Amino acid sequence: MTDASIIYIRYTDLLSLYQKSHQWEKFGRLLAQEAFNVTMTRIEGFLLKSPEERYLDLIKQHPDIFNNVPLYHISSYLGIQGPSLSRIRKRLSGK
């Protein structure tokens, strides 16, 4: 959908870096913590928030997402059907 850069490191190379440097161990721990936090926030959103609240959170975090991502991907990410996303957008644009 958009250009991206991906950083890749083999698992064995990562383990080697962890053994050689405490800074790399710290980096790995912080990265794992951030991944955990993102995952938990997403799960909690599905359990505790309405689709409209999830939509508003997405807009707050990524205001230009509609310029780069098709609506069917956005609705899938939010865990709702396309028509539901359209209704939410229409209802909020009228406020």
Side-chain angles (χ1 to χ4, degrees):
M1 288 179 261
T2 60
D3 291 336
S5 297
I6 297 173
I7 298 172
Y8 173 81
I9 186 168
R10 286 188 203 94
Y11 182 68
T12 54
D13 293 337
L14 184 62
L15 291 178
S16 176
L17 286 170
Y18 289 165
Q19 290 175 349
K20 292 177 183 175
S21 167
H22 290 294
Q23 293 298 333
W24 277 104
E25 283 181 316
K26 181 178 179 181
F27 172 77
R29 180 182 53 79
L30 293 173
L31 194 62
Q33 282 178 305
E34 183 62 25
F36 177 79
N37 287 335
V38 167
T39 301
M40 290 305 298
T41 300
R42 187 142 160 76
I43 290 170
E44 288 171 354
F46 277 109
L47 295 174
L48 304 174
K49 294 183 178 180
S50 70
E52 188 172 310
E53 290 171 318
R54 293 194 303 267
Y55 171 81
L56 291 171
D57 286 347
L58 179 65
I59 295 300
K60 188 188 322 181
Q61 293 171 2
H62 305 283
D64 64 337
I65 193 164
F66 290 100
N67 298 330
N68 300 312
V69 180
L71 289 177
Y72 67 93
H73 285 305
I74 294 171
S75 63
S76 176
Y77 178 81
L78 294 171
I80 59 177
Q81 298 292 318
S84 296
L85 176 59
S86 295
R87 282 191 296 274
I88 290 169
R89 293 181 73 201
K90 184 177 180 180
R91 186 172 46 245
L92 291 175
S93 69
K95 287 185 177 179

